[in-house]
Each structure stands twice: as structure tokens, then as C-alpha cells.
Amino acid sequence: MSILLATAIVTATAAATGALAQRAKEETQGPNISHYTLKNGLEVVTIPDHRTPVITHMIWYRVGSADEDAGRSGLAHFLEHLMFKGTAKNPRGRFSEMLAVLGGQENAFTSQDYTAYFQRVAKEHLSSVMEFEADRMTGLVLTDENVLPERDVVLEERRSRTDSDPGALLAEAAQAALFVNHPYGKPIIGWEHEIRALNREQALEFYKRFYAPNNAILVVAGDVTGPQVKELAEKHYGGIARRDDIKARVRPIEPEPRAHRRVSLTDQRVQQPSFSRTYLAPSYRGGKPGEAEAIDVLAHILGSGSTSRLHRALVMDKSIAVSAGSYFSGTSYDLARFGVYASPKPGTSLEDLEAAVDAVIAEVIEKGILETELTRAKTKIVADFVYMQDSQATLARIYGAGLTVGMTLDQIKSWPDRIRAVKAEEVRQAARNWLDTRRAVTSYLLRPPASTEKRT
């Protein structure tokens, strides 16, 4: 082979490798997103995705259950329901009927930090969807005739999803024990006795207080461009007046935890006993640079998948659990949560299961993690981020949730690179700093002991 030919092959190979590397980088960084703010304060985010002629339209409000006044838990979620009751221009049902005719989909959801409404339609109907959504940003009409029956619907939702589920009841109790002062301790759906007291006047006051363009973010993902979305946003949302009385979020501060707390629930409806523990941890918004990223990697190494420490130790090696894992909920305005959990095999007590989980955590704190574990976890996290981009709705949720809790667009886009930069010692330090039982609530879900009495 001539030197010239060899050089050409090397050059071509390097170019191909560079192109692949650039493509991989573009995939992890996401599409070319545009972000701008209208004069009335509405933020507009466009996420181009030209694979199919469909768009996902989402309007996010910077208000959730943690922004409710004391004694009115569930009000943010209740208002989410009421937002489908119609306006003077578009009476109840018209928006949903229009979407049905167009073959579209719609829904909404409420969290502790935000409330969001979304529609998925063919791209040519984006203008119609914007027109309807902009109308109900300020034009909601509520009467006792449509408010009070919907309150009963919410109460039934609580009964079916929480009160009838021992696991949900225990999780609610654990959340209340974890946050002793911060409003994250309230259930999003609300306490039953406070839901019963919610009324039309409270809902309208909450609506007028928080539903405004300068307290919202419009996210459109799909077969559109930034200029197209901006033109339509100006047309439909641009004329809505901003509210200058919207205040910055100032919530009660959670005191530094000093005591390990325990909650347990014994219920005859329990099919599978379980152990769980939730720790207070810094969020992506509130933590120091790199802190939340290290905790995210820690959660994957400890409890994500069959190669994780907890699964291998409890399920495979000791065979004392049917499942075990961990998670990190880091996208929050204030404090975040880190959780570990496991369900025992018959014959294993929850106390023994808890001790086994603690031993796995202690080993990470004392000895750290392997470089192979670190590489595998980071590769998996970044790969999951790439796969998420196959869903325009998921992309819209990632950016909408991040922006509403105070993250910047650059912070969201650069997240894969920050995950790649996490070091093994940083993961170990995260375990040392945050997996302290004084920062945690441990929960036991139990079946009652079998009765020894003979039935007559």
C-alpha cells in the first residue's frame, strides 16, 4: 500500500469517526431549540422534530401544590380540573370536542411546583389549539353548578387512588414526615377534609393570582420552526396583559433534619410487604454545581437495573428480596428526594431487609465505587436521554418541567455533558453527605399477622 493511499484511508477514517462523534454529540445535546420571551412575559420554547407532521403544545404555569395557602391543600389540582369547564367564548366541552374532531389528544397534570396542560394534534391545527388555550388563560367561567360536582370528582379520585391503596397511604404519611415545615409535605391531591372545603371563590382567586402570561411557559415540540411558533404565539398569546402583582416564590424553609423518622402501616389489603426510605437531597436547581449530577449517578449505581448494587446484593446474591432499587427526583424548585426500596421474599423480615440495604449503602460510603460501575451508569443515563428524544411529548416535558422549576435552557441542554464529567469520588462523597438516616424517613408496609383463632 502506498503512503499516499494509506494517508487517504487514515484521513477518511478520521473524518468518518469525527462525523459520528459530532452526530452523537448532537443527539445527546438535543435538537436546535429556540427560546424567547414575549413582551407580556410569556416564555416560548420551540423544539423542532420534523419526523412526523405532528405537534405537542404545552402551556406550563409556575404554580403547584407547594404554592397553596395553608388550609387549602389540593387547590392547584382542583383548579386543573376546573380549567376544562369552559369560557364565555368557548363553553364547556367545545375545546375537547374540537380536539376529538381533529383526532387530537389532551390532558393536564399538577405537581408540587407546576401545572401543565397539553394537546397533541396535526401540525396544521397548532393555531386553533393556541387560540383555545390562550382563551382559557384569562376567560375561565366558574359557577357553583360546575364547581361543586367537580369537587366530588376530586374526592372520588382521592378515594380510589390514595385511600383505597395502602402503599399510597404510607407514601403520603412518609412525605408528611419528611417535610416537617416545607409545603412539599402536603399531598398534591390535598387532604380530604381540606378538599371538602374548597369552593368557587377560592378557585377563582387562585386562578387570577397565578394564571398569567408572565407566570407561564409555552412549549411547542414537533414539525414546526421557531419563527412559525413565535408568529402564532404573538398572535394568540401576545395580546394577554401581564400581571405585575405576581410575586417570586418564597416558601417556608425546611429545618436541617436531625432525627431519623419511621412510619409503618399494617393493612389486610397489603399483598406484598415492602421497605422504603426517602432522604432529603439537593435538587438540580438548589444544589451546588455538580452535586445533583453525582447523586443521579449514585441512584443508578445503587438501584437502577439488574447490574445495580442493590439488585445484585439482595435479589441475586442473598436471595432475600424479589425487587430492590433506588431513585432520585431532582427536578424540583426546592429540596429533592432520594429513595431506596425493596420487597422481601417470604421468610425475610423487613428488619433484615433494611439491614441488607444499609450494608450496601455503607460499602459505597466506605469503599467508593468502581470505575466500571461509573462508566456503565453514565453511559446508561446519557443513552436514556438520547432515547427520550424519540418522543416529542417527552422532550416537551423535560424542558417544560426544568424551566418551571428555575433551571435554564443551557442547564437542561448541557445535562449529558455534566453527567459525563461526574467522578467516582464525587459519587462517594454524595453518598456520605446525603445518605444519612438523620435526613430520612423509613417506611414499612406490612400485612397483619395471620390469626391463630379458629373460625366458628
Side-chain angles (χ1 to χ4, degrees), residues 350-403:
L350 292 186
E351 290 80 6
D352 288 344
L353 196 62
E354 179 182 358
V357 170
D358 285 340
V360 173
I361 294 173
E363 185 177 24
V364 172
I365 293 173
E366 292 168 10
K367 300 180 180 180
I369 62 171
L370 302 174
E371 285 295 331
T372 53
E373 289 180 300
L374 178 66
T375 300
R376 184 168 57 238
K378 294 195 292 187
T379 300
K380 178 66 163 58
I381 294 170
V382 174
D384 286 345
F385 183 79
V386 173
Y387 296 147
M388 286 178 186
Q389 296 179 47
D390 284 339
S391 168
Q392 62 176 230
T394 301
L395 271 175
R397 285 189 178 224
I398 289 172
Y399 284 92
L403 291 170

Tab-separated table of all heavy atoms in Angstrom, residues 350-403:
chain	number	residue	atom	x	y	z
A	350	LEU	N	-38.695	-7.423	57.323
A	350	LEU	CA	-38.330	-6.102	56.831
A	350	LEU	C	-37.106	-5.567	57.558
A	350	LEU	O	-36.323	-4.802	56.982
A	350	LEU	CB	-39.513	-5.138	56.975
A	350	LEU	CG	-40.730	-5.426	56.076
A	350	LEU	CD1	-41.764	-4.319	56.223
A	350	LEU	CD2	-40.321	-5.565	54.622
A	351	GLU	N	-36.937	-5.956	58.817
A	351	GLU	CA	-35.754	-5.532	59.568
A	351	GLU	C	-34.479	-6.087	58.925
A	351	GLU	O	-33.483	-5.368	58.773
A	351	GLU	CB	-35.853	-5.989	61.019
A	351	GLU	CG	-36.899	-5.267	61.852
A	351	GLU	CD	-38.319	-5.793	61.624
A	351	GLU	OE1	-38.467	-6.812	60.894
A	351	GLU	OE2	-39.259	-5.194	62.161
A	352	ASP	N	-34.506	-7.362	58.540
A	352	ASP	CA	-33.339	-7.949	57.874
A	352	ASP	C	-33.113	-7.321	56.500
A	352	ASP	O	-31.963	-7.115	56.067
A	352	ASP	CB	-33.530	-9.461	57.725
A	352	ASP	CG	-33.414	-10.197	59.053
A	352	ASP	OD1	-32.886	-9.598	60.017
A	352	ASP	OD2	-33.868	-11.346	59.135
A	353	LEU	N	-34.187	-7.029	55.817
A	353	LEU	CA	-34.078	-6.397	54.505
A	353	LEU	C	-33.467	-5.007	54.636
A	353	LEU	O	-32.584	-4.617	53.858
A	353	LEU	CB	-35.459	-6.308	53.857
A	353	LEU	CG	-35.524	-6.028	52.354
A	353	LEU	CD1	-34.853	-7.147	51.567
A	353	LEU	CD2	-36.971	-5.864	51.905
A	354	GLU	N	-33.922	-4.249	55.620
A	354	GLU	CA	-33.376	-2.917	55.858
A	354	GLU	C	-31.887	-2.984	56.180
A	354	GLU	O	-31.087	-2.181	55.676
A	354	GLU	CB	-34.125	-2.233	56.999
A	354	GLU	CG	-33.606	-0.846	57.324
A	354	GLU	CD	-34.333	-0.198	58.493
A	354	GLU	OE1	-35.276	-0.805	59.039
A	354	GLU	OE2	-33.937	0.928	58.873
A	355	ALA	N	-31.506	-3.942	57.004
A	355	ALA	CA	-30.094	-4.094	57.355
A	355	ALA	C	-29.250	-4.405	56.125
A	355	ALA	O	-28.121	-3.909	55.985
A	355	ALA	CB	-29.936	-5.202	58.401
A	356	ALA	N	-29.786	-5.209	55.216
A	356	ALA	CA	-29.054	-5.544	53.995
A	356	ALA	C	-28.899	-4.320	53.096
A	356	ALA	O	-27.841	-4.116	52.479
A	356	ALA	CB	-29.777	-6.663	53.257
A	357	VAL	N	-29.945	-3.498	52.993
A	357	VAL	CA	-29.860	-2.259	52.219
A	357	VAL	C	-28.811	-1.335	52.833
A	357	VAL	O	-27.972	-0.750	52.124
A	357	VAL	CB	-31.229	-1.555	52.153
A	357	VAL	CG1	-31.079	-0.158	51.552
A	357	VAL	CG2	-32.221	-2.367	51.343
A	358	ASP	N	-28.833	-1.200	54.159
A	358	ASP	CA	-27.863	-0.336	54.840
A	358	ASP	C	-26.436	-0.809	54.612
A	358	ASP	O	-25.508	0.005	54.506
A	358	ASP	CB	-28.169	-0.297	56.340
A	358	ASP	CG	-29.385	0.564	56.666
A	358	ASP	OD1	-29.739	1.411	55.834
A	358	ASP	OD2	-29.972	0.377	57.745
A	359	ALA	N	-26.240	-2.118	54.530
A	359	ALA	CA	-24.898	-2.654	54.302
A	359	ALA	C	-24.390	-2.274	52.914
A	359	ALA	O	-23.205	-1.960	52.743
A	359	ALA	CB	-24.918	-4.171	54.465
A	360	VAL	N	-25.273	-2.292	51.931
A	360	VAL	CA	-24.881	-1.896	50.569
A	360	VAL	C	-24.504	-0.423	50.541
A	360	VAL	O	-23.489	-0.041	49.947
A	360	VAL	CB	-26.021	-2.192	49.579
A	360	VAL	CG1	-25.691	-1.631	48.199
A	360	VAL	CG2	-26.279	-3.693	49.489
A	361	ILE	N	-25.309	0.406	51.176
A	361	ILE	CA	-25.015	1.844	51.220
A	361	ILE	C	-23.710	2.101	51.959
A	361	ILE	O	-22.865	2.904	51.519
A	361	ILE	CB	-26.184	2.605	51.884
A	361	ILE	CG1	-27.432	2.522	51.007
A	361	ILE	CG2	-25.801	4.060	52.143
A	361	ILE	CD1	-28.681	3.088	51.660
A	362	ALA	N	-23.509	1.420	53.079
A	362	ALA	CA	-22.288	1.604	53.865
A	362	ALA	C	-21.039	1.237	53.070
A	362	ALA	O	-19.992	1.897	53.177
A	362	ALA	CB	-22.363	0.762	55.141
A	363	GLU	N	-21.145	0.214	52.244
A	363	GLU	CA	-19.996	-0.193	51.431
A	363	GLU	C	-19.616	0.886	50.429
A	363	GLU	O	-18.424	1.148	50.186
A	363	GLU	CB	-20.304	-1.503	50.710
A	363	GLU	CG	-19.122	-2.052	49.931
A	363	GLU	CD	-19.420	-3.384	49.271
A	363	GLU	OE1	-20.607	-3.671	49.022
A	363	GLU	OE2	-18.465	-4.128	48.991
A	364	VAL	N	-20.629	1.531	49.833
A	364	VAL	CA	-20.344	2.625	48.891
A	364	VAL	C	-19.682	3.781	49.627
A	364	VAL	O	-18.719	4.387	49.136
A	364	VAL	CB	-21.640	3.087	48.198
A	364	VAL	CG1	-21.382	4.352	47.373
A	364	VAL	CG2	-22.187	1.986	47.304
A	365	ILE	N	-20.188	4.111	50.813
A	365	ILE	CA	-19.624	5.220	51.588
A	365	ILE	C	-18.189	4.919	52.016
A	365	ILE	O	-17.309	5.789	51.959
A	365	ILE	CB	-20.508	5.508	52.821
A	365	ILE	CG1	-21.868	6.063	52.369
A	365	ILE	CG2	-19.814	6.492	53.770
A	365	ILE	CD1	-22.865	6.223	53.493
A	366	GLU	N	-17.922	3.701	52.428
A	366	GLU	CA	-16.596	3.348	52.954
A	366	GLU	C	-15.574	3.071	51.860
A	366	GLU	O	-14.413	3.483	51.956
A	366	GLU	CB	-16.725	2.109	53.846
A	366	GLU	CG	-17.503	2.367	55.136
A	366	GLU	CD	-17.865	1.071	55.852
A	366	GLU	OE1	-17.349	0.005	55.457
A	366	GLU	OE2	-18.677	1.138	56.800
A	367	LYS	N	-15.985	2.385	50.789
A	367	LYS	CA	-15.030	1.941	49.779
A	367	LYS	C	-15.171	2.635	48.434
A	367	LYS	O	-14.323	2.474	47.554
A	367	LYS	CB	-15.156	0.432	49.578
A	367	LYS	CG	-14.876	-0.379	50.835
A	367	LYS	CD	-15.026	-1.872	50.556
A	367	LYS	CE	-14.755	-2.698	51.805
A	367	LYS	NZ	-14.899	-4.159	51.533
A	368	GLY	N	-16.249	3.371	48.257
A	368	GLY	CA	-16.451	4.033	46.983
A	368	GLY	C	-16.981	3.088	45.917
A	368	GLY	O	-17.463	1.990	46.218
A	369	ILE	N	-16.885	3.514	44.667
A	369	ILE	CA	-17.409	2.721	43.558
A	369	ILE	C	-16.302	2.393	42.571
A	369	ILE	O	-15.239	3.018	42.576
A	369	ILE	CB	-18.543	3.472	42.819
A	369	ILE	CG1	-18.008	4.776	42.226
A	369	ILE	CG2	-19.713	3.738	43.763
A	369	ILE	CD1	-18.965	5.476	41.303
A	370	LEU	N	-16.542	1.412	41.711
A	370	LEU	CA	-15.581	1.018	40.700
A	370	LEU	C	-15.709	1.907	39.470
A	370	LEU	O	-16.798	2.406	39.156
A	370	LEU	CB	-15.802	-0.441	40.296
A	370	LEU	CG	-15.717	-1.484	41.415
A	370	LEU	CD1	-16.106	-2.858	40.872
A	370	LEU	CD2	-14.328	-1.509	42.028
A	371	GLU	N	-14.620	2.098	38.763
A	371	GLU	CA	-14.654	2.886	37.532
A	371	GLU	C	-15.572	2.238	36.495
A	371	GLU	O	-16.224	2.933	35.719
A	371	GLU	CB	-13.246	3.049	36.968
A	371	GLU	CG	-12.390	4.055	37.725
A	371	GLU	CD	-12.915	5.481	37.622
A	371	GLU	OE1	-13.559	5.801	36.591
A	371	GLU	OE2	-12.681	6.270	38.551
A	372	THR	N	-15.612	0.897	36.483
A	372	THR	CA	-16.500	0.219	35.540
A	372	THR	C	-17.964	0.522	35.849
A	372	THR	O	-18.778	0.687	34.934
A	372	THR	CB	-16.270	-1.297	35.585
A	372	THR	OG1	-16.379	-1.759	36.947
A	372	THR	CG2	-14.906	-1.659	35.042
A	373	GLU	N	-18.310	0.601	37.133
A	373	GLU	CA	-19.673	0.954	37.526
A	373	GLU	C	-19.995	2.372	37.097
A	373	GLU	O	-21.089	2.658	36.590
A	373	GLU	CB	-19.839	0.848	39.041
A	373	GLU	CG	-19.848	-0.540	39.611
A	373	GLU	CD	-20.015	-0.517	41.115
A	373	GLU	OE1	-19.157	0.081	41.794
A	373	GLU	OE2	-21.006	-1.091	41.622
A	374	LEU	N	-19.037	3.256	37.321
A	374	LEU	CA	-19.239	4.663	36.977
A	374	LEU	C	-19.470	4.817	35.474
A	374	LEU	O	-20.405	5.501	35.047
A	374	LEU	CB	-18.023	5.474	37.413
A	374	LEU	CG	-18.052	6.970	37.084
A	374	LEU	CD1	-19.150	7.665	37.865
A	374	LEU	CD2	-16.691	7.602	37.367
A	375	THR	N	-18.617	4.178	34.687
A	375	THR	CA	-18.749	4.270	33.233
A	375	THR	C	-20.076	3.704	32.758
A	375	THR	O	-20.756	4.297	31.910
A	375	THR	CB	-17.591	3.523	32.552
A	375	THR	OG1	-16.346	4.110	32.960
A	375	THR	CG2	-17.711	3.599	31.037
A	376	ARG	N	-20.456	2.561	33.298
A	376	ARG	CA	-21.720	1.927	32.897
A	376	ARG	C	-22.908	2.807	33.250
A	376	ARG	O	-23.830	2.982	32.441
A	376	ARG	CB	-21.846	0.563	33.578
A	376	ARG	CG	-23.096	-0.209	33.145
A	376	ARG	CD	-23.037	-1.654	33.614
A	376	ARG	NE	-22.876	-1.765	35.044
A	376	ARG	CZ	-21.867	-2.412	35.639
A	376	ARG	NH1	-20.933	-2.999	34.915
A	376	ARG	NH2	-21.799	-2.473	36.957
A	377	ALA	N	-22.898	3.393	34.449
A	377	ALA	CA	-24.014	4.235	34.878
A	377	ALA	C	-24.124	5.483	34.012
A	377	ALA	O	-25.222	5.849	33.564
A	377	ALA	CB	-23.841	4.624	36.346
A	378	LYS	N	-23.004	6.132	33.748
A	378	LYS	CA	-23.045	7.354	32.953
A	378	LYS	C	-23.475	7.063	31.517
A	378	LYS	O	-24.249	7.829	30.927
A	378	LYS	CB	-21.683	8.056	32.985
A	378	LYS	CG	-21.316	8.586	34.365
A	378	LYS	CD	-20.176	9.587	34.337
A	378	LYS	CE	-18.863	8.954	33.957
A	378	LYS	NZ	-17.739	9.928	34.094
A	379	THR	N	-22.990	5.961	30.977
A	379	THR	CA	-23.397	5.583	29.624
A	379	THR	C	-24.898	5.336	29.553
A	379	THR	O	-25.573	5.761	28.607
A	379	THR	CB	-22.643	4.327	29.174
A	379	THR	OG1	-21.241	4.599	29.186
A	379	THR	CG2	-23.066	3.908	27.770
A	380	LYS	N	-25.426	4.655	30.562
A	380	LYS	CA	-26.862	4.343	30.589
A	380	LYS	C	-27.691	5.620	30.727
A	380	LYS	O	-28.718	5.786	30.044
A	380	LYS	CB	-27.159	3.410	31.757
A	380	LYS	CG	-28.629	3.040	31.943
A	380	LYS	CD	-29.147	2.212	30.792
A	380	LYS	CE	-30.459	1.505	31.145
A	380	LYS	NZ	-31.519	2.446	31.544
A	381	ILE	N	-27.289	6.525	31.587
A	381	ILE	CA	-28.041	7.763	31.798
A	381	ILE	C	-28.083	8.585	30.514
A	381	ILE	O	-29.139	9.073	30.099
A	381	ILE	CB	-27.423	8.591	32.945
A	381	ILE	CG1	-27.577	7.861	34.282
A	381	ILE	CG2	-28.077	9.963	33.030
A	381	ILE	CD1	-26.797	8.495	35.422
A	382	VAL	N	-26.931	8.752	29.868
A	382	VAL	CA	-26.870	9.541	28.636
A	382	VAL	C	-27.646	8.852	27.520
A	382	VAL	O	-28.351	9.502	26.735
A	382	VAL	CB	-25.411	9.793	28.227
A	382	VAL	CG1	-25.348	10.476	26.867
A	382	VAL	CG2	-24.696	10.649	29.274
A	383	ALA	N	-27.543	7.525	27.445
A	383	ALA	CA	-28.290	6.786	26.419
A	383	ALA	C	-29.793	6.962	26.612
A	383	ALA	O	-30.540	7.147	25.642
A	383	ALA	CB	-27.923	5.307	26.470
A	384	ASP	N	-30.251	6.916	27.864
A	384	ASP	CA	-31.677	7.122	28.141
A	384	ASP	C	-32.120	8.505	27.684
A	384	ASP	O	-33.237	8.672	27.166
A	384	ASP	CB	-31.956	6.960	29.638
A	384	ASP	CG	-31.909	5.512	30.089
A	384	ASP	OD1	-31.951	4.614	29.228
A	384	ASP	OD2	-31.830	5.274	31.316
A	385	PHE	N	-31.248	9.491	27.860
A	385	PHE	CA	-31.569	10.843	27.424
A	385	PHE	C	-31.727	10.900	25.905
A	385	PHE	O	-32.622	11.570	25.388
A	385	PHE	CB	-30.475	11.816	27.883
A	385	PHE	CG	-30.748	13.251	27.542
A	385	PHE	CD1	-31.625	14.009	28.296
A	385	PHE	CD2	-30.136	13.860	26.452
A	385	PHE	CE1	-31.882	15.337	27.987
A	385	PHE	CE2	-30.382	15.179	26.122
A	385	PHE	CZ	-31.271	15.918	26.900
A	386	VAL	N	-30.859	10.182	25.202
A	386	VAL	CA	-30.955	10.131	23.743
A	386	VAL	C	-32.254	9.458	23.319
A	386	VAL	O	-32.961	9.935	22.422
A	386	VAL	CB	-29.745	9.386	23.148
A	386	VAL	CG1	-29.929	9.191	21.646
A	386	VAL	CG2	-28.454	10.163	23.416
A	387	TYR	N	-32.591	8.340	23.961
A	387	TYR	CA	-33.819	7.626	23.610
A	387	TYR	C	-35.061	8.479	23.876
A	387	TYR	O	-36.057	8.379	23.148
A	387	TYR	CB	-33.911	6.327	24.403
A	387	TYR	CG	-32.808	5.332	24.093
A	387	TYR	CD1	-32.317	4.482	25.081
A	387	TYR	CD2	-32.243	5.260	22.823
A	387	TYR	CE1	-31.289	3.575	24.808
A	387	TYR	CE2	-31.215	4.364	22.547
A	387	TYR	CZ	-30.749	3.523	23.539
A	387	TYR	OH	-29.743	2.643	23.269
A	388	MET	N	-35.002	9.306	24.909
A	388	MET	CA	-36.142	10.163	25.225
A	388	MET	C	-36.476	11.109	24.076
A	388	MET	O	-37.616	11.530	23.913
A	388	MET	CB	-35.854	10.982	26.483
A	388	MET	CG	-35.912	10.203	27.772
A	388	MET	SD	-35.498	11.251	29.187
A	388	MET	CE	-35.480	10.041	30.509
A	389	GLN	N	-35.480	11.431	23.272
A	389	GLN	CA	-35.698	12.365	22.177
A	389	GLN	C	-36.523	11.748	21.048
A	389	GLN	O	-36.926	12.456	20.124
A	389	GLN	CB	-34.352	12.862	21.653
A	389	GLN	CG	-33.588	13.649	22.694
A	389	GLN	CD	-32.243	14.137	22.197
A	389	GLN	OE1	-32.149	14.682	21.102
A	389	GLN	NE2	-31.213	13.959	22.993
A	390	ASP	N	-36.784	10.451	21.127
A	390	ASP	CA	-37.677	9.832	20.161
A	390	ASP	C	-39.131	10.246	20.385
A	390	ASP	O	-39.969	10.073	19.512
A	390	ASP	CB	-37.569	8.304	20.230
A	390	ASP	CG	-36.307	7.791	19.565
A	390	ASP	OD1	-35.739	8.521	18.731
A	390	ASP	OD2	-35.885	6.666	19.892
A	391	SER	N	-39.423	10.780	21.567
A	391	SER	CA	-40.784	11.216	21.903
A	391	SER	C	-40.815	12.727	22.048
A	391	SER	O	-40.198	13.279	22.959
A	391	SER	CB	-41.248	10.553	23.202
A	391	SER	OG	-42.433	11.160	23.676
A	392	GLN	N	-41.539	13.388	21.144
A	392	GLN	CA	-41.615	14.844	21.238
A	392	GLN	C	-42.332	15.288	22.500
A	392	GLN	O	-42.001	16.317	23.092
A	392	GLN	CB	-42.280	15.445	19.999
A	392	GLN	CG	-43.713	15.019	19.761
A	392	GLN	CD	-44.332	15.720	18.566
A	392	GLN	OE1	-45.412	16.273	18.650
A	392	GLN	NE2	-43.651	15.687	17.430
A	393	ALA	N	-43.311	14.489	22.954
A	393	ALA	CA	-44.024	14.832	24.184
A	393	ALA	C	-43.089	14.759	25.388
A	393	ALA	O	-43.144	15.603	26.291
A	393	ALA	CB	-45.215	13.897	24.385
A	394	THR	N	-42.207	13.747	25.399
A	394	THR	CA	-41.240	13.628	26.496
A	394	THR	C	-40.260	14.781	26.477
A	394	THR	O	-39.916	15.346	27.525
A	394	THR	CB	-40.490	12.288	26.404
A	394	THR	OG1	-41.425	11.219	26.474
A	394	THR	CG2	-39.484	12.159	27.542
A	395	LEU	N	-39.799	15.160	25.297
A	395	LEU	CA	-38.910	16.311	25.190
A	395	LEU	C	-39.578	17.574	25.721
A	395	LEU	O	-38.965	18.360	26.453
A	395	LEU	CB	-38.507	16.519	23.730
A	395	LEU	CG	-37.265	15.781	23.232
A	395	LEU	CD1	-37.099	15.998	21.742
A	395	LEU	CD2	-36.027	16.232	23.978
A	396	ALA	N	-40.829	17.778	25.344
A	396	ALA	CA	-41.556	18.954	25.825
A	396	ALA	C	-41.662	18.942	27.343
A	396	ALA	O	-41.549	19.990	27.994
A	396	ALA	CB	-42.944	18.998	25.192
A	397	ARG	N	-41.860	17.769	27.917
A	397	ARG	CA	-41.962	17.662	29.377
A	397	ARG	C	-40.623	17.944	30.049
A	397	ARG	O	-40.572	18.598	31.094
A	397	ARG	CB	-42.458	16.276	29.775
A	397	ARG	CG	-43.941	16.068	29.528
A	397	ARG	CD	-44.418	14.765	30.135
A	397	ARG	NE	-45.849	14.575	29.934
A	397	ARG	CZ	-46.678	14.155	30.864
A	397	ARG	NH1	-46.248	13.875	32.067
A	397	ARG	NH2	-47.968	14.003	30.599
A	398	ILE	N	-39.549	17.443	29.477
A	398	ILE	CA	-38.227	17.666	30.064
A	398	ILE	C	-37.930	19.155	30.159
A	398	ILE	O	-37.533	19.665	31.214
A	398	ILE	CB	-37.145	16.951	29.225
A	398	ILE	CG1	-37.250	15.434	29.390
A	398	ILE	CG2	-35.750	17.430	29.636
A	398	ILE	CD1	-36.346	14.665	28.443
A	399	TYR	N	-38.137	19.864	29.062
A	399	TYR	CA	-37.820	21.288	29.050
A	399	TYR	C	-38.843	22.109	29.833
A	399	TYR	O	-38.477	23.063	30.531
A	399	TYR	CB	-37.690	21.782	27.610
A	399	TYR	CG	-36.385	21.352	26.982
A	399	TYR	CD1	-36.299	20.165	26.257
A	399	TYR	CD2	-35.232	22.106	27.142
A	399	TYR	CE1	-35.091	19.754	25.700
A	399	TYR	CE2	-34.023	21.706	26.588
A	399	TYR	CZ	-33.963	20.524	25.878
A	399	TYR	OH	-32.775	20.117	25.344
A	400	GLY	N	-40.107	21.743	29.735
A	400	GLY	CA	-41.122	22.474	30.490
A	400	GLY	C	-40.920	22.342	31.984
A	400	GLY	O	-40.955	23.339	32.727
A	401	ALA	N	-40.701	21.126	32.462
A	401	ALA	CA	-40.512	20.909	33.894
A	401	ALA	C	-39.249	21.607	34.391
A	401	ALA	O	-39.246	22.253	35.447
A	401	ALA	CB	-40.454	19.416	34.196
A	402	GLY	N	-38.170	21.485	33.625
A	402	GLY	CA	-36.927	22.113	34.051
A	402	GLY	C	-37.028	23.623	34.145
A	402	GLY	O	-36.598	24.230	35.131
A	403	LEU	N	-37.622	24.244	33.138
A	403	LEU	CA	-37.730	25.705	33.135
A	403	LEU	C	-38.668	26.209	34.223
A	403	LEU	O	-38.418	27.258	34.827
A	403	LEU	CB	-38.204	26.182	31.760
A	403	LEU	CG	-37.191	26.006	30.618
A	403	LEU	CD1	-37.843	26.278	29.278
A	403	LEU	CD2	-35.983	26.919	30.821
